[in-house]
Amino acid sequence: MTTTSAQPRREQLLDAAAELFAERGYHDVGIDDIGAAAGISGPGIYRHFPGKQALLEVLVDRGMTRLLDGAHSIPALHREPLAALEALVDLHVDFAVTQRPLIAVWGRETRALSENDRLSLRRRMKAYEDEWAAALIPLRADLDPAQARSVAVLGLALLNGSAVSSLDVTPEVRAHLLRRMTLAALLSRGTSGVLNPRS
């Protein structure tokens, strides 16, 4: 577990929940399990969260907010198209490396959210994907907007898939590999032949 006694209790609980949900699955983790991992009794969680689903909701919301806010800030900071795309990739690489349990939870456990929360998450994910597509379009004149969006979504899938991959490398090496691979995939003109098989 990554929880430490120096963290506020709420953060300890969120970290513990993310790791347990990723490792065992949302439905196989109980309140007592989360409490034990964070060093408190199960019922003590209710002083911080209404229940297990609330922990999941906060985890998903917090992660999506971090990514979306970061993406929204990039165009003002990086006017040059390649620099903007690289900044987006760096944003998500850092998230994929430092928040691996949370990305694994996104991939498997969002079905446990309420319908309203799932719809909200999907809207925000689409807005995030749109930021990636907008950054890619100026660099890929060989793709129409729909194709550029598809390439961007597949680049994100590469990054998110790394969260559940066992690699015997340091986080620094993982980040370096992910950055290089994702930029290569996004910028490779070879993707146009795949998306336009008659070209």
Side-chain angles (χ1 to χ4, degrees):
M1 290 293 159
T2 59
T3 58
T4 69
S5 58
Q7 288 180 300
R9 184 68 73 188
R10 181 179 172 88
E11 298 304 314
Q12 291 181 23
L13 290 167
L14 287 167
D15 281 356
E19 292 199 25
L20 288 170
F21 293 162
E23 180 183 316
R24 291 160 49 182
Y26 174 81
H27 292 292
D28 289 333
V29 174
I31 285 290
D32 288 340
D33 298 321
I34 298 169
I40 66 172
S41 67
I45 292 177
Y46 296 111
R47 292 195 294 272
H48 305 276
F49 297 96
K52 186 173 74 167
Q53 186 164 2
L55 279 158
L56 179 63
E57 291 168 358
V58 171
L59 284 169
V60 170
D61 178 72
R62 176 182 286 189
M64 193 71 252
T65 297
R66 172 178 163 181
L67 290 175
L68 198 50
D69 287 353
H72 285 330
S73 73
I74 284 172
L77 297 172
H78 302 278
R79 300 291 186 182
E80 200 274 323
L82 181 57
L85 182 66
E86 288 175 336
L88 272 174
V89 171
D90 289 341
L91 170 71
H92 206 96
V93 165
D94 179 69
F95 191 77
V97 171
T98 63
Q99 303 294 323
R100 288 182 65 197
L102 180 52
I103 290 185
V105 169
W106 277 9
R108 295 199 305 258
E109 305 301 338
T110 54
R111 64 187 181 275
L113 296 170
S114 69
E115 183 176 0
N116 285 342
D117 285 328
R118 282 198 305 273
L119 289 173
S120 174
L121 176 62
R122 184 59 219 148
R123 284 193 297 269
R124 297 173 76 200
M125 289 179 70
K126 183 181 182 303
Y128 183 62
E129 293 162 0
D130 288 344
E131 294 282 348
W132 277 63
L136 185 60
I137 285 170
L139 298 166
R140 293 297 305 271
D142 56 316
L143 302 177
D144 66 31
Q147 292 167 343
R149 191 176 196 285
S150 296
V151 171
V153 169
L154 290 170
L156 285 166
L158 184 157
L159 288 169
N160 292 336
S162 72
V164 293
S165 302
S166 297
L167 301 176
D168 189 21
V169 295
T170 65
E172 292 78 16
V173 171
R174 179 185 286 264
H176 176 70
L177 291 172
L178 284 174
R179 186 180 196 274
R180 289 185 61 187
M181 291 174 62
T182 304
L183 285 169
L186 293 172
L187 297 173
S188 172
R189 296 280 168 163
T191 55
S192 62
V194 174
L195 296 169
N196 301 294
R198 295 182 183 177
S199 62

